[in-house]
């Protein structure tokens, strides 16, 4: 099926007509293809850069039917590209060939060294084997691997030299590394090791933001998941772990704004259930003080560029979402997509 879609593109704010020809967008003013959608605002699909489809609880085994269901929930919300920074099992290759599922960039299995993750939930390895395992997971996935860099504030994080060796090994084979960091030392080690992304960043020292910007380490704060965790923690009596969690959370809005001001790439990732709720993370980025265009871009064109996926241009993948109004003027419209086109297929 070949058809045309016309509207104002974001972030360029140019009226454009695209011909959707299979899984490709073309700019062809002379095309006589059917005009499927005329008017509105065009985005290259939303992006969730930190989501874990296929499991719902740490006691779950990875389930392919559950994976399909979760990915369709993303799709129906206009999320047409996801990055899965770690899973209980490698995302199966058939996902890439399913025409009705979002595109997936996967980091393979979580890599957890002793005492630094939920028991038997990721790939448990020794610190000595971390670099080798990181390379294996990156080569077996979409080029990413995910390392659990720290866990409890009472335990030491992955040592800087061990983490640096793993990052260097993955970079040597053309891969990229996401690091879970939520303690001050764990975040420090992730940044100093040259990780490509810092997931969460709770207790991140603002003194590291300049280095993050210079070396291209992105920050994915996942406000959405921590919001519920912290609210439950506030109802409990004071103890060191609870107080550490709340203290870190209370500083995150200011840290994320400071990161954006310092030139760090800040992206939207939800981490948790329900799937397809990246608009909630956009709302949190707005609360942190990001300008609306930056907050929306963090879940769309900015995230795509960071992942190496083109936006709305000639020859790009045929993924786009149409909205009646400008989502940078009213981000609430992101919850009401008018048209969803994925891999050239009309979903809505």
């Amino acid at each position: 099926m070949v058809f045309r879609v016309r509207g104002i593109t974001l972030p360029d704010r140019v009226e454009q007509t695209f011909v959707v020809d299979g899984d490709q967008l073309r700019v062809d003013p002379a095309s006589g293809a059917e005009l499927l959608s005329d008017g509105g605002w065009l985005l290259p699909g939303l992006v969730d850069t930190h989501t874990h489809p296929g499991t719902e609880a740490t006691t779950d085994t990875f389930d392919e039917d559950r994976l399909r269901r979760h990915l369709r929930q993303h799709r129906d919300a206009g999320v047409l590209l996801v990055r899965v920074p770690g899973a209980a099992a490698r995302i199966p290759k058939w996902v890439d060939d399913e025409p009705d599922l979002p595109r997936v960039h996967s980091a393979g299995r979580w890599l957890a060294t002793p005492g630094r993750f939920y028991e038997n939930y990721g790939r448990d390895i020794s610190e000595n084997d971390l670099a080798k395992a990181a390379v294996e997971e990156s080569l077996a996935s979409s080029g990413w691997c995910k390392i659990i860099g720290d866990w409890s504030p009472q335990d030491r994080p992955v040592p800087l030299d061990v983490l640096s060796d793993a990052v260097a090994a993955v970079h040597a084979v053309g891969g990229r590394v996401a690091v879970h960091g939520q303690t001050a030392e764990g975040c420090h080690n992730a940044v100093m090791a040259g990780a490509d992304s810092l997931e969460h960043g709770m207790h991140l020292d603002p003194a590291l933001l300049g280095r993050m910007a210079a070396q291209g380490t992105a920050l994915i704060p996942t406000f959405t998941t921590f919001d519920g965790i912290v609210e439950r923690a506030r109802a409990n009596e004071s103890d060191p772990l609870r107080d550490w969690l709340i203290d870190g959370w209370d500083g995150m809005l200011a840290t994320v704004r400071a990161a954006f001001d310092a030139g760090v790439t800040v992206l939207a990732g939800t981490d948790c259930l329900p799937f397809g709720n990246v608009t909630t993370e956009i709302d949190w980025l707005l609360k942190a003080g990001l300008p609306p265009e930056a907050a929306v871009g963090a879940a769309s064109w900015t995230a795509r560029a960071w992942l190496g996926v083109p936006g709305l241009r000639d020859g790009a993948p045929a993924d786009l979402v149409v909205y009646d109004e400008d989502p940078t003027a009213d981000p609430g419209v992101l919850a009401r997509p008018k048209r969803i086109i994925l891999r050239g297929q009309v979903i809505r």
Side-chain angles (χ1 to χ4, degrees):
M1 180 181 180
V2 180
F3 55 90
R4 291 181 296 150
V5 176
R6 181 161 57 213
I8 301 173
T9 63
L10 285 173
D12 300 328
R13 299 182 178 277
V14 174
E15 185 174 87
Q16 184 64 273
T17 301
F18 290 104
V19 177
V20 179
D21 187 357
D23 191 12
Q24 187 180 59
L25 295 179
R26 294 190 292 110
V27 177
D28 182 3
S31 174
E34 174 191 359
L35 185 60
L36 180 75
S37 179
D38 191 8
W41 296 78
L42 310 181
L43 269 70
L46 297 177
V47 183
D48 192 328
T49 56
H50 188 128
T51 180
H52 301 293
T55 55
E56 295 178 351
T58 58
T59 54
D60 287 342
T61 57
F62 185 82
D63 181 85
E64 292 191 358
D65 289 338
R66 191 186 294 123
L67 172 65
R68 280 191 175 91
R69 185 173 73 253
H70 292 167
L71 288 175
R72 286 172 180 152
Q73 289 169 354
H74 276 303
R75 177 205 67 191
D76 291 346
V79 178
L80 307 185
L81 173 63
V82 301
R83 185 185 65 138
V84 181
R90 292 172 183 158
I91 301 296
K93 294 295 184 182
W94 57 254
V95 169
D96 296 332
D97 300 320
E98 292 282 327
D100 69 334
L101 296 182
R103 302 178 198 269
V104 176
H105 287 215
S106 170
R109 289 174 287 179
W110 288 289
L111 297 174
T113 49
R116 298 193 182 103
F117 202 39
Y118 302 109
E119 187 174 0
N120 299 321
Y121 197 43
R123 179 179 173 184
D124 297 322
I125 53 171
S126 69
E127 290 181 0
N128 289 337
D129 292 332
L130 180 60
K132 178 182 177 183
V135 169
E136 290 172 350
E137 292 302 322
S138 67
L139 292 176
S141 63
S142 304
W144 281 90
C145 76
K146 168 72 174 292
I147 297 172
I148 306 299
D150 60 16
W151 199 239
S152 168
Q154 300 164 337
D155 300 319
R156 71 184 185 109
V158 176
L160 177 56
D161 60 336
V162 174
L163 193 56
S164 296
D165 288 346
V167 171
V170 173
H171 286 173
V173 297
R176 302 172 80 182
V177 181
V179 176
H180 168 107
Q182 58 188 20
T183 68
E185 187 178 0
C187 292
H188 171 270
N189 288 357
V191 174
M192 299 305 292
D196 297 280
S197 67
L198 174 61
E199 312 297 317
H200 314 305
M202 185 175 284
H203 294 280
L204 172 64
D205 183 352
L208 294 167
L209 296 176
R211 186 182 182 102
M212 290 178 68
Q215 68 190 21
T217 299
L219 175 62
I220 299 95
T222 64
F223 284 109
T224 300
T225 191
F226 278 108
D227 178 36
I229 294 170
V230 171
E231 284 309 304
R232 290 190 293 272
R234 290 189 194 277
N236 297 331
E237 294 185 3
S238 176
D239 65 51
L241 182 60
R242 169 197 177 275
D243 295 347
W244 165 85
L245 177 66
I246 292 173
D247 180 61
W249 168 260
D250 286 346
M252 281 188 70
L253 288 173
T255 297
V256 170
R257 177 55 197 250
F260 175 78
D261 289 343
V264 175
T265 298
V266 176
L267 301 173
T270 58
D271 196 1
C272 65
L273 299 164
F275 297 93
N277 68 332
V278 77
T279 55
T280 302
E281 193 69 13
I282 294 172
D283 290 342
W284 276 109
L285 295 178
L286 291 168
K287 291 176 185 177
L290 269 65
E293 188 154 326
V296 176
S300 184
W301 55 85
T302 303
R304 287 176 175 270
W306 182 72
L307 288 168
V309 179
L312 296 177
R313 63 170 176 77
D314 190 74
D319 300 339
L320 60 86
V321 183
V322 183
Y323 299 93
D324 282 327
E325 301 172 48
D326 178 0
T328 66
D330 178 11
V333 306
L334 293 170
R336 303 184 298 276
K338 178 181 180 181
R339 287 282 189 184
I340 298 174
I341 297 167
L342 170 64
R343 304 176 189 254
Q345 307 295 314
V346 179
I347 304 300
R348 177 184 301 173

